[in-house]
Structure formats: C-alpha cells, structure tokens
Amino acid sequence: MATTKSLFSEFESVTSKQWKQQIQYELKGADYNETLVWESPEGIKVKPFYHSDENIKNINVATKASEFSILQNIFVHDVAKSNARALDTLNRGAESIRFTIENENSSIEELMQNLPLKETIYYFHLPFLSIDFVTKIKAFATKNQAKFILQIDPIGQLIKDGNWFENLDKDFEKLNTISKNSPPLEECLKGEVAFVSFLNINASTYQNAGANMVQQLAYTLAHCNEYFNRIPILNNPITIEIAVGTNYFFEIAKLRALRLLFNTLAKEYNHNLDCHIIVTPTKRNKTLYDYNVNMLRTTTECMSAILGGANAIANLPYDALYHKDNEFGDRIARNQLLVLKHESYFDKVNNPADGAYYIESLTEQLAEKALLLFKEIEEKGGFIAQLMEGNIQKKISESAAKEQELFDSGQEVLLGTNKYPNKNDRMKHDLELFPFVKQNPRKTLIIPIIEKRLAEKLEQERLNLEEK
C-alpha cells in the first residue's frame, strides 16, 4: 500500500502567533491593526494572512465550476430575427439562451424553430404574469422534451417598478396556480415530463442599486422566504439572479454564502432542491468613458462567478451602457467566457475555493451577518412589509450614499473615470442609449429601488463640457 508523503516535512511549522510577531517586527513600530487590517463596508475586518491554527471552518458548499454555462441574452423584438440570432450565437459558443419576451402573444413555436432543444437550457425572462402564456410554454416543452427555465418574479417587479403586476393577492394566486400545475423535478429527471421551472429571485437589483454584500444576501434570503411562505407547493428549483462586482475574493465568498443560506432556509420548508444561480456582472462600476476598461472589470467578475459556483453566467458587453445590442459587443462578451472556460481551464475543478482559509473565513462571516439581518427583517414583519414601510429602500440608499462618497472623494477608484481620465475622450456622438437613471414620475405603491452607477454624475458633467 502506497504511503502519503507530506510535502515540506523537513521544515518546522510556523504558528500564526509567530507570523504575527515577525510582521510586527518588520513594521518597525507601526501599529499592526492600523497598518495591515482593513475593514470592508460590511464590517468585516480583513487580516493580512490566515492560518490553519485559527480554527477556520471548512464551509461545505457544493460549487461545480465544471458545469457553468455561457448564457446569451436576447431581447425579443422580432420573433424570427431572435430565432436566427439564437441559432447563430449557439454556433458561436453560447451554451444557453435567455429570451426576454414582453409580448405574451409571441409565438413560441416560431421563436424555438430549429433550435436544439434536448441538450440546451433556455431561459425566458417574463416582465408580465400570465397563466395562459406559461401554459403555452409548458405545452411546447412537453411536446419537445425541452428544458425551459422561466423567470417570473412579482416581488422583483414590485421592487423595480414600485407596483405589482396586478396586486399582491392576484399575483400570488396566479403563482400558486402555476406551481400546482408544475411537475416534480424527479419526474422531469426521469424523462417522464419536460423540465419547466418558473420561480425567479431577481437579486441583481440590490447590488446595482448600491447595497453592500450582507444586505444583498439578507434581502435575497428574505425575498425568497416570502415565496416559501406564500407558495406552499414548490416542486421545482428556484432560480436566483445576482450581480457581482470587482471585489474578487469577497464576490466568490458571497456566492458561496448565498447557496449555503438558501439551502439552510429551504430545508425549513422541506424544499430539498438546490437553487439555480445566474450571475451577471454589476452595472454599478461600469463607465461610459474609457469603456474598454469595462472588459477588465467584467473579466474578473466572471472569474468570481465561476469560482463562486454560478450555474450560468450572462456577461455584460463592454458597450452595454451606450450601444444597442450588437454582434461585436456580444461576441466580445461571449469570448471572454470562452477564454476563461476553454483556455484558462476554469471548468476543470469543482469546489475550487474549498480550503482557502481567506475565502472560507469570508464565507462564514458574510453568511452569519446576513442571517442576523434576515432575522431582523422577519421579526419586523417580513420583506414585503419592510418594503411597504420603505425601510429596505432606506438602508440601500444609505449604503449607496457611503459608496458614492468614497467614489467622489477618490477613495474608491474607477480607472479612466475618477483616476487617470483621458481628457480627450469624447462620447457625446456615440450614444445610442441614454446611460443614466431615467426619471419616470408616476404613482407607485412603494418607493422603487433604483439602479444607479457610481460614475453617472461625473459623466454627465463631462458630456456637458463636450458641448462647449
């Protein structure tokens, strides 16, 4: 029987206390905590090193980097053109497609014509709630043994728009009808029926609006808990869409903590299905000027998404802020993921963050802080009640204001925007889209949570100067 030889056994082990003493000596009198320990916006103190003798828990989170799929977004204006685009992007490296359909009279048969159905997952983002349309999609899926994931989120609609699709009671009545008619996952896996999941948690809004990571996790959990409370029968996996920023290791830990928290909550409702996580890079740190830097940002964000355990990743094109959908921007975004997957071998290792003391520590702290905040929300009546009172909006606004202040003062850096800007850069005549918060005054049930980028005010000032 072969024996395992320990590497570096000839060296004496060094304790964390000895490391700290040596570091303190090298600092030549400077304070260890003030010099080397920094605190994140979430109140997590980050040390310069982590050691095995510090009793750091090994967080058991099953993250399968080998299984993430490259997701292509397609907004359905014209059904025939969207079908052709889907076929083209699948041939060019996309592995799954997400259709955003605003017209419930769209023909599913025409949209899915000649597309590979059995081996490819298709997502349908539906900004409306229609039992008839869901029934139509299910009928098509059953006939063709397709794998469809619907993204229906009435609470997400309330958060972004300020109003329900119809009202709370009727929206949940429809959701319960859809849920009762959804077959259990076990039957789908046996091939007895088509796989159609329907419930979605749009958690990307929180990050894009400026919530810190603990808030993002707690609000996502509370958002999900409302559905568990109000939909007694949930046979299918819940999809969670979340955004990631460029705080590389924190974002990896955030996704791991999200899966851990979800599974902990789900077990309380005897829901034994893991969540399905879709990740998109955040819009909050993306810029209009020096836009090529957006590619660097999205690359590290996609890396965090893969290592954190995303099931699907929809990359954000570098020019998404100011250009309409275009083949070049989509191709570059897709190729970033293809390079990470097939040339950087990010798909070769499962659970890649396991045992990394720093990431394990961050995962544990984020999960614990988020769980405390989640419990506070539940004690005060739950997520919807807190939205109605405006408390969630207030907390996100406060967090966003702190981050904005850091950006405005230059402490939070966006290269090419608030540090080392190219003064000769001109964007005014390249804008196909309005890249700033759109004002739409109207009567709403709650104050909506508005997504806003950090660089908006600075960019508006620069655009005004271009006119002079």
Side-chain angles (χ1 to χ4, degrees), residues 134-170:
V134 172
T135 302
K136 186 164 62 173
I137 288 180
K138 284 184 179 178
F140 180 90
T142 301
K143 181 180 178 182
N144 296 278
Q145 285 297 293
K147 297 177 181 178
F148 288 172
I149 294 179
L150 311 186
Q151 291 187 262
I152 302 172
D153 184 11
I155 297 175
Q157 163 72 11
L158 174 69
I159 287 165
K160 290 192 74 170
D161 185 72
N163 292 309
W164 297 98
F165 288 118
E166 197 165 351
N167 59 53
L168 186 151
D169 292 335
K170 289 186 178 178

mmCIF file of all heavy atoms in Angstrom, residues 134-170:
data_model
loop_
_atom_site.group_PDB
_atom_site.id
_atom_site.type_symbol
_atom_site.label_atom_id
_atom_site.label_comp_id
_atom_site.label_asym_id
_atom_site.label_seq_id
_atom_site.Cartn_x
_atom_site.Cartn_y
_atom_site.Cartn_z
ATOM 1 N N VAL A 134 -47.666 30.865 -19.690
ATOM 2 C CA VAL A 134 -46.887 29.795 -19.056
ATOM 3 C C VAL A 134 -47.394 28.430 -19.512
ATOM 4 O O VAL A 134 -46.601 27.523 -19.795
ATOM 5 C CB VAL A 134 -46.957 29.919 -17.521
ATOM 6 C CG1 VAL A 134 -46.312 28.705 -16.852
ATOM 7 C CG2 VAL A 134 -46.270 31.197 -17.055
ATOM 8 N N THR A 135 -48.707 28.287 -19.616
ATOM 9 C CA THR A 135 -49.302 27.035 -20.092
ATOM 10 C C THR A 135 -48.846 26.729 -21.516
ATOM 11 O O THR A 135 -48.539 25.573 -21.861
ATOM 12 C CB THR A 135 -50.841 27.116 -20.037
ATOM 13 O OG1 THR A 135 -51.253 27.400 -18.695
ATOM 14 C CG2 THR A 135 -51.471 25.814 -20.501
ATOM 15 N N LYS A 136 -48.780 27.777 -22.334
ATOM 16 C CA LYS A 136 -48.346 27.615 -23.728
ATOM 17 C C LYS A 136 -46.888 27.147 -23.793
ATOM 18 O O LYS A 136 -46.538 26.256 -24.576
ATOM 19 C CB LYS A 136 -48.520 28.959 -24.451
ATOM 20 C CG LYS A 136 -48.254 28.914 -25.939
ATOM 21 C CD LYS A 136 -48.814 30.142 -26.653
ATOM 22 C CE LYS A 136 -48.188 31.426 -26.196
ATOM 23 N NZ LYS A 136 -48.611 32.587 -27.020
ATOM 24 N N ILE A 137 -46.032 27.722 -22.943
ATOM 25 C CA ILE A 137 -44.617 27.333 -22.909
ATOM 26 C C ILE A 137 -44.480 25.892 -22.423
ATOM 27 O O ILE A 137 -43.701 25.100 -22.968
ATOM 28 C CB ILE A 137 -43.812 28.297 -22.005
ATOM 29 C CG1 ILE A 137 -43.657 29.651 -22.701
ATOM 30 C CG2 ILE A 137 -42.446 27.722 -21.662
ATOM 31 C CD1 ILE A 137 -42.885 30.678 -21.907
ATOM 32 N N LYS A 138 -45.250 25.529 -21.393
ATOM 33 C CA LYS A 138 -45.184 24.163 -20.868
ATOM 34 C C LYS A 138 -45.631 23.146 -21.909
ATOM 35 O O LYS A 138 -45.043 22.061 -22.036
ATOM 36 C CB LYS A 138 -46.057 24.041 -19.622
ATOM 37 C CG LYS A 138 -45.444 24.655 -18.370
ATOM 38 C CD LYS A 138 -46.355 24.400 -17.171
ATOM 39 C CE LYS A 138 -45.758 24.973 -15.909
ATOM 40 N NZ LYS A 138 -46.641 24.783 -14.744
ATOM 41 N N ALA A 139 -46.674 23.495 -22.642
ATOM 42 C CA ALA A 139 -47.176 22.577 -23.673
ATOM 43 C C ALA A 139 -46.099 22.341 -24.737
ATOM 44 O O ALA A 139 -45.878 21.198 -25.172
ATOM 45 C CB ALA A 139 -48.433 23.150 -24.305
ATOM 46 N N PHE A 140 -45.417 23.396 -25.134
ATOM 47 C CA PHE A 140 -44.354 23.260 -26.132
ATOM 48 C C PHE A 140 -43.208 22.418 -25.562
ATOM 49 O O PHE A 140 -42.665 21.547 -26.246
ATOM 50 C CB PHE A 140 -43.836 24.641 -26.553
ATOM 51 C CG PHE A 140 -42.736 24.581 -27.574
ATOM 52 C CD1 PHE A 140 -43.032 24.586 -28.927
ATOM 53 C CD2 PHE A 140 -41.402 24.489 -27.184
ATOM 54 C CE1 PHE A 140 -42.018 24.506 -29.879
ATOM 55 C CE2 PHE A 140 -40.384 24.405 -28.123
ATOM 56 C CZ PHE A 140 -40.691 24.417 -29.473
ATOM 57 N N ALA A 141 -42.836 22.687 -24.306
ATOM 58 C CA ALA A 141 -41.735 21.955 -23.681
ATOM 59 C C ALA A 141 -42.057 20.472 -23.567
ATOM 60 O O ALA A 141 -41.206 19.614 -23.828
ATOM 61 C CB ALA A 141 -41.443 22.542 -22.303
ATOM 62 N N THR A 142 -43.285 20.157 -23.178
ATOM 63 C CA THR A 142 -43.702 18.761 -23.041
ATOM 64 C C THR A 142 -43.671 18.040 -24.388
ATOM 65 O O THR A 142 -43.189 16.905 -24.499
ATOM 66 C CB THR A 142 -45.116 18.681 -22.444
ATOM 67 O OG1 THR A 142 -45.120 19.326 -21.169
ATOM 68 C CG2 THR A 142 -45.573 17.240 -22.288
ATOM 69 N N LYS A 143 -44.149 18.716 -25.404
ATOM 70 C CA LYS A 143 -44.182 18.130 -26.746
ATOM 71 C C LYS A 143 -42.779 17.850 -27.274
ATOM 72 O O LYS A 143 -42.545 16.857 -27.966
ATOM 73 C CB LYS A 143 -44.931 19.078 -27.692
ATOM 74 C CG LYS A 143 -45.047 18.568 -29.124
ATOM 75 C CD LYS A 143 -45.793 19.579 -29.989
ATOM 76 C CE LYS A 143 -45.877 19.107 -31.435
ATOM 77 N NZ LYS A 143 -46.566 20.115 -32.292
ATOM 78 N N ASN A 144 -41.826 18.723 -26.908
ATOM 79 C CA ASN A 144 -40.478 18.634 -27.488
ATOM 80 C C ASN A 144 -39.403 18.197 -26.496
ATOM 81 O O ASN A 144 -38.222 18.223 -26.824
ATOM 82 C CB ASN A 144 -40.100 19.983 -28.088
ATOM 83 C CG ASN A 144 -40.976 20.390 -29.236
ATOM 84 O OD1 ASN A 144 -40.775 19.957 -30.364
ATOM 85 N ND2 ASN A 144 -41.985 21.222 -28.967
ATOM 86 N N GLN A 145 -39.833 17.791 -25.259
ATOM 87 C CA GLN A 145 -38.888 17.388 -24.215
ATOM 88 C C GLN A 145 -37.784 18.434 -24.018
ATOM 89 O O GLN A 145 -36.595 18.121 -23.968
ATOM 90 C CB GLN A 145 -38.274 16.027 -24.546
ATOM 91 C CG GLN A 145 -39.221 14.862 -24.320
ATOM 92 C CD GLN A 145 -39.616 14.732 -22.843
ATOM 93 O OE1 GLN A 145 -38.801 14.413 -22.004
ATOM 94 N NE2 GLN A 145 -40.875 14.993 -22.546
ATOM 95 N N ALA A 146 -38.213 19.690 -23.913
ATOM 96 C CA ALA A 146 -37.278 20.808 -23.782
ATOM 97 C C ALA A 146 -37.018 21.134 -22.316
ATOM 98 O O ALA A 146 -37.812 20.787 -21.432
ATOM 99 C CB ALA A 146 -37.849 22.031 -24.491
ATOM 100 N N LYS A 147 -35.897 21.807 -22.070
ATOM 101 C CA LYS A 147 -35.545 22.270 -20.727
ATOM 102 C C LYS A 147 -35.704 23.788 -20.678
ATOM 103 O O LYS A 147 -34.860 24.516 -21.202
ATOM 104 C CB LYS A 147 -34.115 21.871 -20.381
ATOM 105 C CG LYS A 147 -33.882 20.377 -20.330
ATOM 106 C CD LYS A 147 -32.415 20.071 -20.054
ATOM 107 C CE LYS A 147 -32.175 18.569 -20.037
ATOM 108 N NZ LYS A 147 -30.735 18.249 -19.825
ATOM 109 N N PHE A 148 -36.792 24.226 -20.069
ATOM 110 C CA PHE A 148 -37.086 25.653 -20.002
ATOM 111 C C PHE A 148 -37.062 26.127 -18.552
ATOM 112 O O PHE A 148 -37.587 25.465 -17.663
ATOM 113 C CB PHE A 148 -38.482 25.945 -20.575
ATOM 114 C CG PHE A 148 -38.572 25.818 -22.076
ATOM 115 C CD1 PHE A 148 -39.812 25.900 -22.700
ATOM 116 C CD2 PHE A 148 -37.455 25.624 -22.863
ATOM 117 C CE1 PHE A 148 -39.928 25.802 -24.079
ATOM 118 C CE2 PHE A 148 -37.557 25.516 -24.243
ATOM 119 C CZ PHE A 148 -38.797 25.609 -24.853
ATOM 120 N N ILE A 149 -36.464 27.270 -18.340
ATOM 121 C CA ILE A 149 -36.496 27.917 -17.022
ATOM 122 C C ILE A 149 -37.133 29.289 -17.194
ATOM 123 O O ILE A 149 -36.584 30.152 -17.883
ATOM 124 C CB ILE A 149 -35.085 28.048 -16.413
ATOM 125 C CG1 ILE A 149 -34.514 26.653 -16.104
ATOM 126 C CG2 ILE A 149 -35.113 28.902 -15.150
ATOM 127 C CD1 ILE A 149 -33.125 26.666 -15.528
ATOM 128 N N LEU A 150 -38.303 29.465 -16.608
ATOM 129 C CA LEU A 150 -38.994 30.748 -16.674
ATOM 130 C C LEU A 150 -38.536 31.622 -15.512
ATOM 131 O O LEU A 150 -38.301 31.136 -14.410
ATOM 132 C CB LEU A 150 -40.502 30.556 -16.610
ATOM 133 C CG LEU A 150 -41.115 29.512 -17.553
ATOM 134 C CD1 LEU A 150 -42.632 29.555 -17.469
ATOM 135 C CD2 LEU A 150 -40.663 29.733 -18.976
ATOM 136 N N GLN A 151 -38.409 32.910 -15.774
ATOM 137 C CA GLN A 151 -38.005 33.841 -14.724
ATOM 138 C C GLN A 151 -39.169 34.791 -14.429
ATOM 139 O O GLN A 151 -39.319 35.833 -15.062
ATOM 140 C CB GLN A 151 -36.758 34.614 -15.157
ATOM 141 C CG GLN A 151 -35.520 33.722 -15.226
ATOM 142 C CD GLN A 151 -34.251 34.512 -15.489
ATOM 143 O OE1 GLN A 151 -33.799 34.593 -16.615
ATOM 144 N NE2 GLN A 151 -33.681 35.108 -14.439
ATOM 145 N N ILE A 152 -39.988 34.354 -13.473
ATOM 146 C CA ILE A 152 -41.157 35.127 -13.058
ATOM 147 C C ILE A 152 -40.937 35.575 -11.617
ATOM 148 O O ILE A 152 -40.677 34.747 -10.741
ATOM 149 C CB ILE A 152 -42.446 34.285 -13.171
ATOM 150 C CG1 ILE A 152 -42.642 33.777 -14.602
ATOM 151 C CG2 ILE A 152 -43.656 35.086 -12.710
ATOM 152 C CD1 ILE A 152 -43.788 32.793 -14.762
ATOM 153 N N ASP A 153 -41.056 36.852 -11.367
ATOM 154 C CA ASP A 153 -40.717 37.389 -10.042
ATOM 155 C C ASP A 153 -41.589 38.604 -9.706
ATOM 156 O O ASP A 153 -41.162 39.750 -9.885
ATOM 157 C CB ASP A 153 -39.231 37.763 -10.022
ATOM 158 C CG ASP A 153 -38.760 38.240 -8.659
ATOM 159 O OD1 ASP A 153 -39.513 38.101 -7.675
ATOM 160 O OD2 ASP A 153 -37.629 38.760 -8.578
ATOM 161 N N PRO A 154 -42.805 38.384 -9.195
ATOM 162 C CA PRO A 154 -43.671 39.517 -8.846
ATOM 163 C C PRO A 154 -43.073 40.457 -7.793
ATOM 164 O O PRO A 154 -43.268 41.670 -7.862
ATOM 165 C CB PRO A 154 -44.937 38.842 -8.311
ATOM 166 C CG PRO A 154 -44.936 37.488 -8.919
ATOM 167 C CD PRO A 154 -43.498 37.100 -9.018
ATOM 168 N N ILE A 155 -42.326 39.899 -6.832
ATOM 169 C CA ILE A 155 -41.704 40.759 -5.824
ATOM 170 C C ILE A 155 -40.610 41.603 -6.467
ATOM 171 O O ILE A 155 -40.443 42.785 -6.164
ATOM 172 C CB ILE A 155 -41.142 39.926 -4.651
ATOM 173 C CG1 ILE A 155 -42.275 39.187 -3.940
ATOM 174 C CG2 ILE A 155 -40.396 40.809 -3.653
ATOM 175 C CD1 ILE A 155 -41.825 38.240 -2.834
ATOM 176 N N GLY A 156 -39.871 40.997 -7.382
ATOM 177 C CA GLY A 156 -38.869 41.754 -8.138
ATOM 178 C C GLY A 156 -39.504 42.865 -8.957
ATOM 179 O O GLY A 156 -38.944 43.965 -9.088
ATOM 180 N N GLN A 157 -40.689 42.584 -9.507
ATOM 181 C CA GLN A 157 -41.447 43.613 -10.235
ATOM 182 C C GLN A 157 -41.815 44.760 -9.300
ATOM 183 O O GLN A 157 -41.658 45.939 -9.648
ATOM 184 C CB GLN A 157 -42.712 42.972 -10.823
ATOM 185 C CG GLN A 157 -43.812 43.936 -11.255
ATOM 186 C CD GLN A 157 -43.472 44.712 -12.522
ATOM 187 O OE1 GLN A 157 -42.502 44.398 -13.207
ATOM 188 N NE2 GLN A 157 -44.273 45.718 -12.836
ATOM 189 N N LEU A 158 -42.282 44.435 -8.105
ATOM 190 C CA LEU A 158 -42.636 45.456 -7.121
ATOM 191 C C LEU A 158 -41.422 46.307 -6.758
ATOM 192 O O LEU A 158 -41.513 47.543 -6.678
ATOM 193 C CB LEU A 158 -43.190 44.777 -5.862
ATOM 194 C CG LEU A 158 -43.491 45.685 -4.661
ATOM 195 C CD1 LEU A 158 -44.686 46.592 -4.961
ATOM 196 C CD2 LEU A 158 -43.748 44.854 -3.403
ATOM 197 N N ILE A 159 -40.276 45.657 -6.571
ATOM 198 C CA ILE A 159 -39.053 46.353 -6.159
ATOM 199 C C ILE A 159 -38.595 47.344 -7.223
ATOM 200 O O ILE A 159 -38.263 48.494 -6.917
ATOM 201 C CB ILE A 159 -37.943 45.318 -5.864
ATOM 202 C CG1 ILE A 159 -38.239 44.602 -4.548
ATOM 203 C CG2 ILE A 159 -36.573 45.978 -5.817
ATOM 204 C CD1 ILE A 159 -37.418 43.353 -4.349
ATOM 205 N N LYS A 160 -38.564 46.920 -8.482
ATOM 206 C CA LYS A 160 -38.024 47.779 -9.546
ATOM 207 C C LYS A 160 -39.031 48.800 -10.051
ATOM 208 O O LYS A 160 -38.676 49.931 -10.391
ATOM 209 C CB LYS A 160 -37.543 46.918 -10.727
ATOM 210 C CG LYS A 160 -36.307 46.104 -10.424
ATOM 211 C CD LYS A 160 -35.699 45.512 -11.677
ATOM 212 C CE LYS A 160 -34.985 46.576 -12.493
ATOM 213 N NZ LYS A 160 -34.177 45.995 -13.584
ATOM 214 N N ASP A 161 -40.302 48.402 -10.114
ATOM 215 C CA ASP A 161 -41.324 49.259 -10.710
ATOM 216 C C ASP A 161 -42.107 50.064 -9.674
ATOM 217 O O ASP A 161 -42.653 51.116 -9.982
ATOM 218 C CB ASP A 161 -42.287 48.393 -11.536
ATOM 219 C CG ASP A 161 -43.311 49.212 -12.290
ATOM 220 O OD1 ASP A 161 -42.922 49.878 -13.277
ATOM 221 O OD2 ASP A 161 -44.494 49.212 -11.887
ATOM 222 N N GLY A 162 -42.170 49.548 -8.442
ATOM 223 C CA GLY A 162 -42.964 50.207 -7.403
ATOM 224 C C GLY A 162 -44.376 49.682 -7.311
ATOM 225 O O GLY A 162 -45.116 50.019 -6.375
ATOM 226 N N ASN A 163 -44.782 48.834 -8.273
ATOM 227 C CA ASN A 163 -46.131 48.254 -8.292
ATOM 228 C C ASN A 163 -46.056 46.758 -8.602
ATOM 229 O O ASN A 163 -45.110 46.287 -9.245
ATOM 230 C CB ASN A 163 -46.994 48.934 -9.359
ATOM 231 C CG ASN A 163 -47.311 50.382 -9.013
ATOM 232 O OD1 ASN A 163 -47.771 50.687 -7.919
ATOM 233 N ND2 ASN A 163 -47.043 51.290 -9.943
ATOM 234 N N TRP A 164 -47.061 46.013 -8.155
ATOM 235 C CA TRP A 164 -47.199 44.611 -8.534
ATOM 236 C C TRP A 164 -47.595 44.528 -10.000
ATOM 237 O O TRP A 164 -47.948 45.538 -10.624
ATOM 238 C CB TRP A 164 -48.280 43.935 -7.695
ATOM 239 C CG TRP A 164 -48.002 43.886 -6.229
ATOM 240 C CD1 TRP A 164 -48.475 44.725 -5.264
ATOM 241 C CD2 TRP A 164 -47.173 42.933 -5.540
ATOM 242 N NE1 TRP A 164 -48.005 44.364 -4.029
ATOM 243 C CE2 TRP A 164 -47.200 43.263 -4.160
ATOM 244 C CE3 TRP A 164 -46.418 41.829 -5.955
ATOM 245 C CZ2 TRP A 164 -46.497 42.538 -3.203
ATOM 246 C CZ3 TRP A 164 -45.726 41.096 -4.993
ATOM 247 C CH2 TRP A 164 -45.766 41.453 -3.647
ATOM 248 N N PHE A 165 -47.566 43.321 -10.553
ATOM 249 C CA PHE A 165 -48.120 43.134 -11.895
ATOM 250 C C PHE A 165 -49.596 43.529 -11.878
ATOM 251 O O PHE A 165 -50.071 44.265 -12.734
ATOM 252 C CB PHE A 165 -47.984 41.677 -12.345
ATOM 253 C CG PHE A 165 -46.574 41.273 -12.668
ATOM 254 C CD1 PHE A 165 -45.941 40.269 -11.939
ATOM 255 C CD2 PHE A 165 -45.882 41.889 -13.690
ATOM 256 C CE1 PHE A 165 -44.641 39.884 -12.242
ATOM 257 C CE2 PHE A 165 -44.582 41.507 -14.003
ATOM 258 C CZ PHE A 165 -43.956 40.506 -13.269
ATOM 259 N N GLU A 166 -50.323 43.027 -10.856
ATOM 260 C CA GLU A 166 -51.734 43.379 -10.675
ATOM 261 C C GLU A 166 -51.935 43.862 -9.236
ATOM 262 O O GLU A 166 -52.095 45.042 -8.980
ATOM 263 C CB GLU A 166 -52.619 42.175 -10.996
ATOM 264 C CG GLU A 166 -54.073 42.545 -11.237
ATOM 265 C CD GLU A 166 -54.841 41.408 -11.896
ATOM 266 O OE1 GLU A 166 -54.230 40.398 -12.333
ATOM 267 O OE2 GLU A 166 -56.080 41.529 -11.970
ATOM 268 N N ASN A 167 -51.906 42.956 -8.289
ATOM 269 C CA ASN A 167 -51.839 43.286 -6.865
ATOM 270 C C ASN A 167 -51.311 42.059 -6.134
ATOM 271 O O ASN A 167 -51.167 40.986 -6.727
ATOM 272 C CB ASN A 167 -53.201 43.742 -6.305
ATOM 273 C CG ASN A 167 -54.285 42.692 -6.453
ATOM 274 O OD1 ASN A 167 -54.122 41.549 -6.039
ATOM 275 N ND2 ASN A 167 -55.404 43.068 -7.070
ATOM 276 N N LEU A 168 -51.012 42.182 -4.861
ATOM 277 C CA LEU A 168 -50.374 41.098 -4.118
ATOM 278 C C LEU A 168 -51.185 39.814 -4.178
ATOM 279 O O LEU A 168 -50.657 38.741 -4.510
ATOM 280 C CB LEU A 168 -50.154 41.528 -2.659
ATOM 281 C CG LEU A 168 -49.364 40.556 -1.754
ATOM 282 C CD1 LEU A 168 -48.631 41.331 -0.660
ATOM 283 C CD2 LEU A 168 -50.251 39.498 -1.107
ATOM 284 N N ASP A 169 -52.470 39.892 -3.862
ATOM 285 C CA ASP A 169 -53.299 38.691 -3.796
ATOM 286 C C ASP A 169 -53.414 37.993 -5.152
ATOM 287 O O ASP A 169 -53.263 36.772 -5.254
ATOM 288 C CB ASP A 169 -54.693 39.033 -3.263
ATOM 289 C CG ASP A 169 -54.658 39.441 -1.792
ATOM 290 O OD1 ASP A 169 -53.716 39.034 -1.082
ATOM 291 O OD2 ASP A 169 -55.568 40.178 -1.358
ATOM 292 N N LYS A 170 -53.690 38.772 -6.195
ATOM 293 C CA LYS A 170 -53.885 38.158 -7.519
ATOM 294 C C LYS A 170 -52.577 37.624 -8.092
ATOM 295 O O LYS A 170 -52.556 36.571 -8.749
ATOM 296 C CB LYS A 170 -54.522 39.172 -8.466
ATOM 297 C CG LYS A 170 -55.978 39.464 -8.119
ATOM 298 C CD LYS A 170 -56.650 40.347 -9.150
ATOM 299 C CE LYS A 170 -58.119 40.569 -8.786
ATOM 300 N NZ LYS A 170 -58.807 41.469 -9.750
#
